[in-house]
Amino acid sequence: MEQDVESPAVTTRKPKLPKQAREALPEQLVDQVRAKRKIQRYVRKDGKCNVHHGNVQETYRYLTDIFTTLVDLKWRFNLFIFVLVYTVTWLLFGFAWWLIAYVRGDLEHIGDNQWTPCVNNLNGFVSAFLFSIETETTIGYGYRVITDQCPEGILLLLIQSVLGSIVNAFMVGCMFVKISQPKKRAETLVFSTSAVISVRDGRLCLMFRVGDLRNSHIVEASIRAKLIKSKQTKEGEFIPLNQTDMNVGYDTGDDRLFLVSPLIICHEINQNSPFWEVSQADLDKEDLEIVVILEGMVEATGMTCQARSSYVTSEIKWGYRFMPVLTLEDGFYEVDYNSFHDIHETNTPSCSARELAEMNCRARLPLTWSVASKLSQQGVLEPEGREKKSTTTLVTQEEGLEEQTERNGDIANIESESKV
């Protein structure tokens, strides 16, 4: 069998560029380096959270909720504990039965028909272990039987029966919950591999698609979306992986889904959206992640199921839409899941949603208002203001003259009266 042998590579040290040359590198190279950088996800595409808990000192808290701890264990550990618990229980009670026979002296009177043992046909530890298994599992072959001349054996039989029932309920319950967990149901809930940004009804919207591959539906399905992005407050505090809610129809009820066929979830980029002032150029430079969460109850079992996925910056396509997947056939609708992830390019402005809203607002302004504003800006309406100001000044002067004339007339009347 031939094997490829790698030849030792000769490493040549590249000359270090001077500082001026490094600063003069084109921005395209910087963008390429950023694109090749490994993306650190908060939530992976399969829905698993990429977070590991370390330095947990209060490990006793896991034992306080031992049932959940056993359910959360991996299958190999769960099966090992399942077998171990039953084996240890059988061994302990088998040793107890052997100890009773040893203390009573039953092992010394094996084959003596005049002696009444605690358990018939118990002649050693192996037979005591088999009797323990028969008692706890309620098999009862009928060969080894407890007698009524052994009160300590009757008490041990009661204890083993009760504790055996508790062990059966606990371990079988753990296995049942482990098997019936709805995690595998989330495998048939699919999300589109990319999210898109395009114009819908005159407004920029961020959209992604969800679908259910099974014929049994998710009851009371609801969708949520969160923006994961580090931020720094005005006071200088750095908040890593800050979570911001994204409205996907909470106000209108569109977040509650009837997931019979694939649906496109839409987030309108408005004043309350974190993407309000983000343009296409700004989006390429952002380091963010959008986590989407689909929740609902499994129709067959009634248990709550949750499916998760995420979209990083490179998976958000600006200026694209999803291809239609639903077609009308003869008497039914057919979903083509081959086109579930397909997108096509569409005309979309590269500006931010705020700039687009301002442009639409200016386009809807009345012509008279716009002309008047233009004239006022250019100073054409200033003469009219001056005429108004001069008219006001003349009226004020005339009113002052009339008041002065009235005062002069009053003074003249007073002087004539004093002379008389």
Side-chain angles (χ1 to χ4, degrees):
M1 191 176 203
E2 297 182 358
Q3 295 181 353
D4 295 335
V5 179
E6 296 183 358
S7 59
V10 180
T11 59
T12 57
R13 187 175 181 180
K14 296 181 180 180
K16 186 177 181 180
L17 295 176
K19 182 178 179 180
Q20 293 80 2
R22 294 197 305 269
E23 293 178 352
L25 286 175
E27 295 182 357
Q28 295 179 357
L29 295 179
V30 179
D31 296 338
Q32 292 177 2
V33 173
R34 185 183 293 110
K36 294 180 180 180
R37 184 182 58 186
K38 184 179 180 181
I39 300 174
Q40 190 71 24
R41 289 181 177 272
Y42 188 65
V43 176
R44 294 185 294 189
K45 295 296 286 185
D46 57 358
K48 295 181 179 179
C49 298
N50 194 20
V51 178
H52 298 274
H53 300 282
N55 298 327
V56 179
Q57 299 179 357
E58 299 178 352
T59 55
Y60 67 90
R61 295 182 180 272
Y62 294 104
L63 299 177
T64 57
D65 188 11
I66 187 64
F67 186 84
T68 306
T69 302
L70 292 176
V71 172
D72 290 340
L73 289 176
K74 295 182 179 180
W75 268 108
R76 53 180 177 268
F77 299 114
N78 208 311
L79 291 175
F80 175 75
I81 293 175
F82 184 84
V83 175
L84 182 64
V85 167
Y86 276 107
T87 304
V88 170
T89 305
W90 295 335
L91 287 173
L92 288 177
F93 282 102
F95 177 77
W97 287 112
W98 175 84
L99 184 62
I100 290 177
Y102 179 78
V103 172
R104 281 174 53 88
D106 295 341
L107 301 179
E108 299 176 358
H109 296 82
I110 298 175
D112 187 359
N113 296 328
Q114 302 297 326
W115 181 263
T116 304
C118 183
V119 178
N120 290 329
N121 301 317
L122 195 150
N123 52 14
F125 180 77
V126 177
S127 59
F129 176 70
L130 294 175
F131 181 72
S132 174
I133 296 176
E134 295 174 14
T135 302
E136 189 167 338
T137 57
T138 64
I139 295 176
Y141 290 113
Y143 182 68
R144 279 174 286 270
V145 182
I146 188 172
T147 61
D148 56 358
Q149 301 297 324
C150 182
E152 60 272 18
I154 296 174
L155 180 61
L156 181 60
L157 178 64
L158 294 176
I159 295 174
Q160 186 175 5
S161 299
V162 174
L163 291 181
S165 300
I166 295 174
V167 171
N168 288 333
F170 188 81
M171 298 309 300
V172 173
C174 287
M175 295 299 294
F176 176 77
V177 174
K178 185 74 174 178
I179 294 172
S180 61
Q181 274 186 321
K183 291 183 179 180
K184 297 301 179 182
R185 180 63 177 90
E187 298 293 334
T188 54
L189 298 174
V190 292
F191 297 86
S192 58
T193 55
S194 59
V196 298
I197 294 179
S198 60
V199 178
R200 175 180 281 190
D201 295 332
R203 298 179 180 180
L204 280 177
C205 296
L206 187 146
M207 294 169 284
F208 58 92
R209 179 183 276 168
V210 297
D212 188 2
L213 301 179
R214 287 188 179 273
N215 292 327
S216 59
H217 309 304
I218 296 294
V219 182
E220 296 183 3
S222 61
I223 190 75
R224 292 183 292 142
K226 285 185 175 293
L227 175 66
I228 309 298
K229 181 183 177 183
S230 301
K231 63 174 291 188
Q232 188 171 3
T233 62
K234 297 179 180 179
E235 295 78 13
E237 179 186 3
F238 179 75
I239 304 177
L241 301 177
N242 182 59
Q243 300 184 10
T244 305
D245 285 332
M246 296 176 57
N247 190 359
V248 288
Y250 177 79
D251 300 333
T252 59
D254 293 337
D255 61 330
R256 294 183 289 274
L257 309 179
F258 182 53
L259 197 59
V260 178
S261 61
L263 299 176
I264 296 177
I265 310 301
C266 177
H267 165 68
E268 182 181 335
I269 304 178
N270 51 22
Q271 293 87 343
N272 299 323
S273 172
F275 296 95
W276 174 241
E277 297 181 354
V278 177
S279 62
Q280 183 178 4
D282 298 333
L283 182 63
D284 296 335
K285 302 177 184 178
E286 291 286 344
D287 188 8
L288 54 87
E289 182 178 357
I290 299 175
V291 177
V292 292
I293 304 169
L294 177 62
E295 293 179 330
M297 291 190 301
V298 182
E299 187 179 24
T301 61
M303 301 182 69
T304 304
C305 173
Q306 184 181 93
R308 297 181 295 265
S309 186
S310 67
Y311 302 98
V312 294
T313 305
S314 59
E315 296 170 346
I316 302 175
K317 309 298 182 181
W318 191 291
Y320 286 85
R321 289 179 183 170
F322 287 104
M323 296 289 293
V325 295
L326 192 64
T327 57
L328 177 60
E329 301 297 333
D330 188 11
F332 61 92
Y333 293 95
E334 183 177 359
V335 178
D336 182 16
Y337 277 98
N338 290 329
S339 304
F340 182 83
H341 304 285
D342 295 344
I343 56 177
H344 65 92
E345 195 170 359
T346 182
N347 294 328
T348 304
S350 60
C351 61
S352 64
R354 179 179 180 178
E355 295 173 351
L356 181 61
E358 291 176 354
M359 288 189 295
N360 293 336
C361 184
R362 286 195 296 267
R364 291 194 299 266
L365 290 177
L367 180 61
T368 56
W369 189 91
S370 60
V371 171
S373 62
K374 291 293 183 181
L375 293 177
S376 62
Q377 292 176 0
Q378 296 176 1
V380 178
L381 298 181
E382 289 183 358
E384 181 178 358
R386 292 178 180 176
E387 292 177 2
K388 290 182 179 180
K389 184 176 180 180
S390 60
T391 304
T392 305
T393 305
L394 292 175
V395 171
T396 305
Q397 292 177 356
E398 290 176 359
E399 291 178 356
L401 291 174
E402 290 177 358
E403 291 179 359
Q404 186 67 26
T405 304
E406 291 177 356
R407 291 178 181 177
N408 295 335
D410 293 338
I411 293 172
N413 292 333
I414 293 172
E415 291 179 351
S416 61
E417 290 177 357
S418 61
K419 290 180 180 180
V420 174

